[in-house]
Amino acid sequence: MSFSTKAHEDTHTPSLPVPSPVYAATGLDVWTMMNQAAAEVGAVNLGQGFMSFPPKEFITRAAQKALEKNTHNQYAPPRGRPALLEQVAARFSSRLGRPIDTASEISIHAGANEALLSVFTAFLTHGQNEEVIVMEPAFDQYAPNIAMAGGTTVYVPLRVQAPVNAVMSSDDWKLDMAELEAAVTPKTRIIVLNTPHNPVGKVFTRSELEQIGAVAEQHNLLIIADEVYEHLTFGREHLSIASLPRMWDRTVTVGSAGKLLGVTGWRVGWAVGPRALIQPTLAAHTRIVFTTNTPLQEGVAAAMREASANGFYETQRNEYKHRRDRLMAIFDDVGLPYVIPDGAYYLLVNAAAVRVPEDYPFPAAIADRGPNFRLAYYFVREFGVSGIPPAEFYCEPHRGLAGDYVRFAFCKTDEGLDAAAAALQKLKHCLQKQP
């Protein structure tokens, strides 16, 4: 991933204030880089994971109605609005098989990302070089959040256990438990577990969760379960690690209204766990942002209440499965293999067969980021479809594991996917035979 704590040497003059090295790097982030490249050529944007279709009408109506009440336009309690706490409690009580206390076991956040930052801030100590284990490929916000909280990220990659030049299951990406165990040191404090997984689409099995839990229990580690895609699974059941024996007491589960309801711009998320973990998380949240915006908390609460009654979640899952199957069919047609996702809304496509000319005129910012970035950029410029280079989700020593994959998002309209299918027809004439 591109996060760096190394300042660019000549960005600042000695006569001016110097920023923290955490923020001194000036390189473009991958999202801006690829979005700009797509905009320059009018490419179909399957890169960033935002929805290109509107939310269901009952969801936006709930937010509009919330704005009409004055009490919904003032500060909310830092823990969250009672209506939303009740909806989150109801959802997690069912999922985890235990009653969730709205007064002590939930905190509402300014998106799942702020929830993650709050947990890291609450449980890492500056100056102690405490470590957080992250499984790669990993959401690119983990590392900067950990650094801001004073921690150090330790990476353990998922390993592919299938031929990479053929269609494979996301379940073929395995966590080596011996490798996980070896990564634990006396300074380790936290394991981050993302399931369903971005960008692989892997849904961790009960056996895998039990083994991860055993490592956490043996070494007295906190588990942060990033489960923002918990409602988007395709034929495989999502299981929360907090529901397993002895795991509730050491797990904070993070969720997102943006992913749950298709409103990523609302920035409403939550953390769920025992009082001993949520109270310090809430204390950190109170100092980071104080509170989460009131009207959208109320809008989310009303929308969740209605969604539970109108079959929305099942309908949404079926719609995403249709989009997933459509995008897989597109790459079947052009002849590129991929990883079948069991969850989330991303497709990793193996583009090793794409011939990229050695003398292709890449911008320096792209060329300097390595072959995976060059491949993704070439897709945008030559085939008119934007994706994200998975190298962004790996630390520098592991970037080679990104191989020739490009990540495409299928949270897009049928029209957008049809446009991608038409644009990618050019690929058929640019593929070389693979062994």
Side-chain angles (χ1 to χ4, degrees), residues 7 12 16-25:
H12 305 92
L16 294 175
V18 177
S20 160
V22 174
Y23 301 106

Side-chain angles (χ1 to χ4, degrees), residues 280-334:
T281 297
L282 174 60
H285 160 76
T286 304
R287 295 299 169 234
I288 293 169
V289 296
F290 178 55
T291 187
T292 304
N293 81 81
T294 302
L296 291 183
Q297 286 194 58
E298 291 291 337
V300 168
M304 287 177 69
R305 190 180 307 114
E306 190 167 346
S308 296
N310 67 12
F312 166 75
Y313 298 120
E314 187 61 30
T315 298
Q316 179 180 240
R317 183 182 293 108
N318 291 335
E319 290 172 347
Y320 271 94
K321 184 178 184 301
H322 163 77
R323 297 181 185 110
R324 180 198 71 158
D325 293 350
R326 175 74 177 110
L327 189 57
M328 291 193 302
I330 290 169
F331 283 102
D332 284 334
D333 177 59
V334 300

